[in-house]
């Protein structure tokens, strides 16, 4: 047997461990975590996540040895009804292994970072016992995400889809009884519920699409569905793809269901980085990419997807400009960047979308983690102050508010530098990773649709501007709060993952350079998605986007950098009036939803509960009709004639009759042995008589 | 109507008469004596049927040992006559009716249904000889050895049981 | 030459008389004797069949029955004596404490 064959088939058996390794990690932490130190708990969680990464590497290696062929490993039969058979099958191809590598690789780095972050976070929030729970949830998320990306059918994908949704809910509401964004107490749990409900709406779309798919295709298995797609009416596929888009809008935070993602920042920052920036929210992009054969057959659906993505990209970017919370800026930025990806996959530029997904996972995880480092630095400064002066505990202090920061460049140098790298990558400055991936999307858009191209280009301009604004406000100028002045740098366990991610953000573009012979990712994904002609570097597109990005950074310097914000000074952009207010208030979308959906919903609920259920059903029907009829019926004599003289009398008669009967039969047992003998004799005579008369 | 039949008839009447006598005698001693007579008549039947060994056993065991035991107990308990009882007034007529029905049924079954055919021949020289007895002994101690031994154990157990029951408790037991 | 049927009918009559004795007499000793009569009736039938069929089996069976009857009488009479000792009567109608 050939060595390569041995290895390629030899590593596939590891596929189930993608899911089981994190599950073992969380079980170990659940069972033994209570007696272990924090470092050990975090170390175990990270180790098992890292092991999943190792498995992903081996699987990717197996796929490459198999020349990009799809490898399958069936772990268990799941549902077998009639000729329908649904199995739990793992699928390793170039697309799924790419996702596995991103999820487990970035996930492991974030696990390590979280050891340091949560160590301090649980102490600032006075509940160290929750440290273990965090890592249990984190490992559960990795397992669920692995199910999502490794499934060989839409059904297994949906299992993971729901699993990551649950983990997202659990982790957004991690400090469920608190409030991390300076709003009323318990608002963290409300944010979790909001995320869950918005995702349910999306899942509803996913489910409907699945139902139609099963009705039309009779299967959930990817290849079976794609093979049958040409025979199916276009209208059916259009319906499936558009309902999938609803699911994508929910999970990947696109218009109109994106509203949950900003509130999801209530979760601890590693969660924001892992789930709400790098991995889970890209599941929608993965779904569209995975369904490429379906989307490619209906251009109408593709156009709608692209448009939704492009509009979301610009819309969210404008909101990001008006935010003061360091994580909210990044949250809207994430929505915007997800819009880029969705637009890309909508245009059929799957490689560009996946490329941006990967690089975005690097630099957005970096930015979030760095922001977490900033927030912890502020907390440390505040803590220091509170102990120094004694009277600061009652004061409401938001460590994430950029208006409280400033000058952190000096106190947190490592964080500053990695944040700079992340910012430049996000803003799309060459040669950082974001430049290459974003340019590829813009280039595809310029070929595909001018509207999408310009929407995305303006969004890119906004991106560079709000990131510049953030940099100037957070790291430059003078401290606007004493906490910022006393901020401290984070420990190595946090900064080392940051540096690794910074390196990836710097060099990640090398995955798919727009030069001949360097389309590595495109070639790799081509095994699964079909080989596409690689576009070279277009100097016009690249030039416009780079020039706009530099211009935006220059403008942000003019506004925020040249003359730094003073303490309690309002934002200079407020002179724009309604425009800035709109950006700051998120274009009143939450208020609109409140007015359009939530208020009517509450009113209907009130109506149903008060008028229908209580007044009509309880008061009128039960109390008046049923009880009245009952009282009336008993008044006219049911109780005497039907109950007492009917049912009751019958029951009494039954009892008395039984007594009389037993009193009579008792006499048979008279104790006279002769009488018993007579009975036996009678029996003999009767049986003999029966034998006689029997024919 | 030959001599055999007349003999049978006479003996049968005698058997029935002694049975009725046992049944109807007020005095238990008379009943016992009637039963001895009955057993004797049946022993004669056994002789007629060519079973001399059984006839002898009948006379010695039944008419001899068992009935002596009966008489002994009757006299021991002084139970030769009981005071007339009033219990179960309908027992007697009902039992009589049922008995008649049973006889009719049995006769009908025997005669009208699977009526056994064959004539009982008078005993020959052979049947009354020691050869025949030897043959029967061989069967008893050969083919039927196991039942025979079990019967002996049964007799032993009955003997022990009778002793235990009749034993006068001396101290200790109650 | 007597047909075997006659023996059988005689046996049936004796058996019924025995059964009647068990049913109508109140003296347990006489009831016992009646039982012996019933056994005898059965024995008679068996010997009759044995004779007709020229087989010893019937006779041997009767032999066993006689042995069992002896054992039965031994135990039964002992029981009656015991009852008399505790109740001071042997009238079966007076021994009726096992009633419903």
């Amino acid at each position: 047997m050939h060595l390569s064959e041995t290895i390629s088939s030899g590593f596939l058996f590891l596929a189930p461990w993608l899911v089981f390794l994190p599950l073992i990690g969380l079980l170990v932490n659940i069972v033994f975590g209570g007696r272990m130190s924090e470092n050990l708990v975090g170390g175990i969680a990270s180790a098992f996540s890292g092991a999943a990464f190792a498995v992903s590497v081996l699987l990717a290696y197996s796929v490459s040895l198999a020349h990009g062929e799809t490898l399958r490993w069936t772990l268990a039969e799941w549902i077998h009804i009639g000729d329908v058979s649904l199995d739990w099958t793992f699928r390793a191809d170039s697309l799924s292994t790419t996702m596995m590598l991103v999820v487990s690789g970035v996930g492991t780095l974030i696990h390590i970072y979280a050891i340091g972050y949560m160590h301090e976070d649980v102490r600032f929030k006075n509940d160290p016992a929750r440290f273990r729970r965090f890592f249990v949830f984190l490992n559960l998320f990795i397992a669920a995400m692995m199910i999502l990306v490794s499934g060989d059918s839409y059904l297994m994908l949906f299992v993971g889809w729901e699993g990551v949704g649950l983990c997202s809910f659990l982790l957004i509401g991690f400090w469920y009884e608190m409030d991390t964004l300076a709003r009323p107490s318990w608002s963290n749990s409300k944010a979790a519920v909001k995320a869950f409900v918005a995702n349910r709406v999306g899942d509803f779309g996913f489910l409907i699409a699945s139902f139609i798919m099963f009705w039309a295709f009779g299967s959930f298995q990817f290849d079976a569905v794609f093979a049958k797609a040409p025979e199916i009416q276009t209208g059916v596929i259009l319906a499936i793809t558009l309902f999938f888009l609803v699911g994508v809008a929910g999970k990947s935070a696109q218009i109109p269901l994106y509203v949950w993602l900003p509130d999801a920042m209530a979760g601890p920052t590693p969660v924001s980085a892992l789930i709400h920036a790098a991995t889970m929210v890209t599941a929608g992009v993965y779904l569209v990419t995975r369904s490429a054969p379906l989307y490619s057959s209906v251009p109408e659906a593709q156009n709608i997807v692209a448009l939704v993505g492009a509009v979301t990209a610009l819309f969210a970017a404008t909101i990001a400009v008006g935010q003061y919370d360091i994580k909210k800026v990044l949250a809207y930025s994430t929505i915007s960047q997800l819009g880029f990806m969705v637009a890309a996959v909508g245009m059929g530029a799957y490689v560009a979308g996946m490329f941006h997904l990967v690089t975005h996972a690097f630099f957005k995880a970096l930015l979030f983690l760095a922001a977490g480092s900033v927030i912890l630095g502020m907390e440390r400064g505040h803590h220091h102050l509170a102990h120094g002066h004694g009277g600061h505990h009652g004061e409401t202090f938001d460590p994430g508010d950029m208006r409280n920061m400033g000058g952190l460049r000096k106190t947190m140098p490592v964080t500053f530098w990695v944040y700079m790298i992340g910012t430049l990558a996000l803003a799309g400055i060459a040669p950082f990773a974001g430049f290459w991936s974003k340019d590829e999307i813009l280039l595809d858009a310029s070929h595909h649709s001018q509207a999408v191209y310009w929407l995305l280009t303006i969004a890119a301009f906004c991106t560079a501007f709000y990131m510049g604004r953030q940099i100037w406000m957070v790291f430059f100028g003078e401290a606007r709060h004493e906490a910022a002045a006393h901020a401290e740098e984070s420990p190595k366990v946090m900064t080392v993952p940051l540096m690794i991610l910074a390196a990836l953000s710097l060099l990640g573009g090398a995955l798919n350079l727009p030069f001949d012979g360097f389309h590595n990712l495109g070639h790799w994904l081509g095994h699964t998605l079909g080989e596409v002609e690689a576009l070279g570097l277009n100097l016009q597109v690249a030039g416009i986007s780079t020039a706009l990005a530099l211009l935006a950074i220059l403008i942000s310097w003019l506004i925020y950098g040249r003359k730094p914000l003073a303490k309690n000074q309002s934002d200079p952009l407020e002179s724009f009036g309604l425009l800035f207010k709109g950006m700051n208030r998120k274009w009143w979308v939450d208020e609109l939803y409140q007015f359009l959906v939530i208020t009517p919903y509450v009113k209907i609920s009130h109506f149903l509960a008060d008028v229908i259920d209580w007044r009509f059903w309880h008061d009128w029907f039960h109390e008046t009709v049923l009880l009245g009829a009952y009282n009336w019926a008993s008044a006219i004599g049911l109780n005497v004639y039907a109950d007492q003289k009917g049912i009751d009398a019958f029951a009494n008669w039954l009892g008395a009759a039984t007594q009389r009967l037993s009193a009579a039969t008792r006499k048979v047992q008279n104790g006279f042995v002769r009488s018993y003998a007579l009975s036996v004799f009678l029996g003999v005579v009767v049986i003999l008589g029966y034998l006689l008369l029997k024919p | 109507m030959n001599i055999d039949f007349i003999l049978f008839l006479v003996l049968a009447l005698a058997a029935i008469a002694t049975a009725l006598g046992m049944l109807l005698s007020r005095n238990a001693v008379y009943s016992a004596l009637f039963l001895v007579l009955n057993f004797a008549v049946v022993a004669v039947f056994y002789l007629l049927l060519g079973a001399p060994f059984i006839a002898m056993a009948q006379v010695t065991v039944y008419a001899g040992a068992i009935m002596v035991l009966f008489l002994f107990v009757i006299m021991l308990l002084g139970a030769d006559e009981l005071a007339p009882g009033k219990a179960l007034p309908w027992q007697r007529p009902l039992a009589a009716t049922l008995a008649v029905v049973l006889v009719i049924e049995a006769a009908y079954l025997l005669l009208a249904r699977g009526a056994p055919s064959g004539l009982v021949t008078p005993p020959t020289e052979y049947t009354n000889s020691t050869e025949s007895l030897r043959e029967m002994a061989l069967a008893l101690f050969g083919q039927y050895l196991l039942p025979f031994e079990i019967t002996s154990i049964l007799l032993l157990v009955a003997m022990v049981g009778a002793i235990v029951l009749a034993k006068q408790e001396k101290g200790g037991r109650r | 030459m007597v047909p075997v049927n006659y023996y059988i009918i005689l046996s049936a009559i004796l058996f019924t008389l025995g059964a009647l004795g068990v049913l109508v007499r109140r003296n347990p000793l006489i009831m016992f004797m009646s039982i012996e009569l019933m056994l005898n009736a059965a024995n008679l039938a068996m010997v009759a069949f044995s004779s007709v069929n020229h087989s010893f089996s019937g006779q041997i069976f009767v032999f066993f029955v006689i042995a069992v009857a002896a054992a039965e009488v031994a135990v039964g009479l002992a029981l009656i004596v015991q009852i008399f000792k505790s109740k001071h009567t042997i009238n079966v109608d007076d021994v009726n404490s096992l009633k419903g």
Side-chain angles (χ1 to χ4, degrees), chain B residues 4-5 23 39 58 120 165, chain C residues 1-2 6 25 40 82 90:
Chain B
D4 287 334
F5 188 71
L23 193 60
F39 285 166
Q58 170 90 354
V120 175
L165 281 170
Chain C
M1 306 289 266
V2 183
Y6 289 19
R25 297 307 296 257
N40 246 286
Q82 268 315 100
I90 54 166

Side-chain angles (χ1 to χ4, degrees), chain A residues 16 64 74 113 138 227 275 304 314 324 415 456 462 470 499 534 567 570 603 649 674:
Chain A
S64 75
T74 301
Y113 171 93
L138 226 50
I275 300 183
I304 294 172
L314 179 58
Y324 290 118
T415 307
L456 293 182
C462 291
Q470 198 173 34
M499 287 186 253
K567 203 170 182 176
S570 60
K603 276 185 185 160
R674 293 193 295 145

Side-chain angles (χ1 to χ4, degrees), chain B residues 79-99:
Chain B
D80 42 353
E81 256 181 283
L82 291 176
K86 291 186 289 293
L88 306 174
W90 37 265
Q91 172 95 2
R92 216 166 265 222
L94 188 59
T97 316
L98 283 175

Side-chain angles (χ1 to χ4, degrees), chain A residues 51-70:
Chain A
F53 177 67
V55 172
S56 305
V57 170
L58 292 175
L59 285 180
Y61 181 57
S62 302
V63 171
S64 75
L65 282 183
H67 306 291
E69 274 191 39
T70 300

Side-chain angles (χ1 to χ4, degrees), chain A residues 435 439 442 453-454 457-458 460-461 538-551:
Chain A
F435 168 77
D439 248 41
L442 289 174
Y453 171 67
W454 284 111
T457 305
I458 299 168
F461 172 78
N538 184 318
L539 283 179
Q540 188 196 343
V541 171
I544 289 177
S545 74
T546 309
L548 279 175
L550 290 172
L551 178 68

Side-chain angles (χ1 to χ4, degrees), chain A residues 673-687:
Chain A
V673 69
R674 293 193 295 145
S675 166
Y676 301 157
L678 186 70
S679 310
V680 176
F681 195 65
L682 181 69
V684 172
V685 170
V686 168
I687 291 170

Side-chain angles (χ1 to χ4, degrees), chain A residues 108-122:
Chain A
T108 305
L109 289 175
I110 293 172
H111 270 73
I112 296 167
Y113 171 93
I115 298 173
Y117 183 89
M118 292 311 290
H119 173 78
E120 295 187 47
D121 197 31
V122 292

